[in-house]
Amino acid sequence: MPIKSYLAHPHQGKKQELVHELSSISSCEVIPAENNDLVIVVTETNNNTEDDILKEKIEAIESLKLLAMVSGFDTPKSN
């Protein structure tokens, strides 16, 4: 089960739009930074294929300027 965290940098003036778009994706937890124009995103998917699809979906968001992975690991899926 891949779990990754990212720093998502919006285009200028698009932070709220980016937060809204990311929040609509069920596999994402979104935490807007209070003192910077960036958003912290934590993703959790069932497998690497879902993770790749999710990353492509996030990178297609127009208000996103840059997506930088901070941490990533794969945990065994518990039943």
Side-chain angles (χ1 to χ4, degrees):
M1 182 176 292
I3 300 172
K4 296 182 179 177
S5 60
Y6 298 92
L7 295 179
H9 298 266
H11 286 285
Q12 188 164 352
K14 301 284 187 176
K15 181 178 177 183
Q16 291 305 322
E17 183 179 328
L18 180 59
V19 168
H20 177 73
E21 296 265 351
L22 289 168
S23 296
S24 70
I25 301 172
S26 62
S27 301
C28 292
E29 182 176 335
V30 180
I31 306 157
E34 294 180 11
N35 60 348
N36 280 312
D37 200 20
L38 63 91
V39 179
I40 300 159
V41 183
V42 178
T43 65
E44 182 178 355
T45 55
N46 290 317
N47 54 52
N48 288 330
T49 302
E50 284 184 16
D51 187 62
D52 291 341
I53 293 168
L54 176 60
K55 187 171 183 245
E56 287 178 14
K57 187 174 185 178
I58 293 170
E59 290 175 335
I61 296 173
E62 289 187 21
S63 56
L64 177 69
K65 181 177 181 180
L66 174 71
L67 185 68
M69 186 169 65
V70 176
S71 177
F73 57 95
D74 199 356
T75 61
K77 187 174 181 180
S78 59
N79 294 335

